[in-house]
Amino acid sequence: MNVLILCTGNSCRSILGEATFNHLAPAGWRALSAGSKPAGYVHPRSLALLAREGIATAGYHSKSWDNLPLTPDIVITVCGSAAGETCPAYLGPVMRAHWGVEDPAHVTGSEEVIEAAFERAYRILRVRIEALFALPLAQLDKAALQRELDRIGALLP
């Protein structure tokens, strides 16, 4: 099962999601991430947070959804809504879910405030990914999996 974690810039949230997903994924599941307007870099705070969590960071880079190496089975958008951010819409015959997370790259303030925003984004994504993998995946048909993906999108740590 290939899962695309999609955002606009592919520098923070989608990278955090991709790396965490692949770190926790059972055999046969793989995530990749992309952006509709890739930033061209991975935010250093995202890489530092992943490293602190013991999640490998090698090979992760900001990339466009125009150059995907495979067709995903599931597309999860992680764009936030508080800043009026528009999520890209993946067109294709795939299952879709929205797991909105506010963009920590746009947070301003003290080091503690900025670091807390990255930590919160990571924790939200991790809780949702863990919830996905806690499901009886082999027993769910497509409709049931879609309902669960939608439900998981509202979970918070």
Side-chain angles (χ1 to χ4, degrees):
M1 186 70 77
N2 294 305
V3 177
L4 171 62
I5 301 176
L6 185 61
C7 204
T8 307
N10 192 222
S11 69
C12 292
R13 296 162 293 182
S14 52
I15 295 286
L16 290 171
E18 176 186 16
T20 304
F21 189 104
N22 288 331
H23 181 73
L24 299 172
W29 286 74
R30 175 183 174 215
L32 63 153
S33 68
S36 56
K37 296 176 185 170
Y41 67 94
V42 176
H43 199 291
R45 287 184 191 269
S46 293
L47 295 173
L49 190 155
L50 291 167
R52 281 194 309 275
E53 293 292 324
I55 298 173
T57 61
Y60 290 107
H61 61 283
S62 179
K63 52 211 162 293
S64 173
W65 64 350
D66 292 329
N67 303 315
L68 296 176
L70 50 84
T71 301
D73 301 295
I74 299 171
V75 174
I76 298 172
T77 53
V78 293
C79 307
S81 59
E85 184 177 13
T86 302
C87 259
Y90 184 89
L91 302 177
V94 299
M95 193 173 303
R96 293 173 186 79
H98 179 67
W99 291 2
V101 178
E102 298 309 321
D103 191 350
H106 295 301
V107 171
T108 59
S110 67
E111 281 294 310
E112 293 78 20
V113 167
I114 295 168
E115 199 58 41
F118 275 82
E119 183 71 28
R120 177 157 173 75
Y122 167 75
R123 292 284 161 223
I124 290 170
L125 290 165
R126 180 150 186 146
V127 160
R128 293 173 182 174
I129 293 164
E130 287 174 344
L132 172 63
F133 293 141
L135 295 172
L137 295 167
Q139 299 168 17
L140 297 177
D141 62 19
K142 282 191 170 196
L145 179 56
Q146 181 66 64
R147 284 191 301 276
E148 290 296 331
L149 287 169
D150 294 340
R151 179 188 64 79
I152 289 168
L155 295 178
L156 296 172

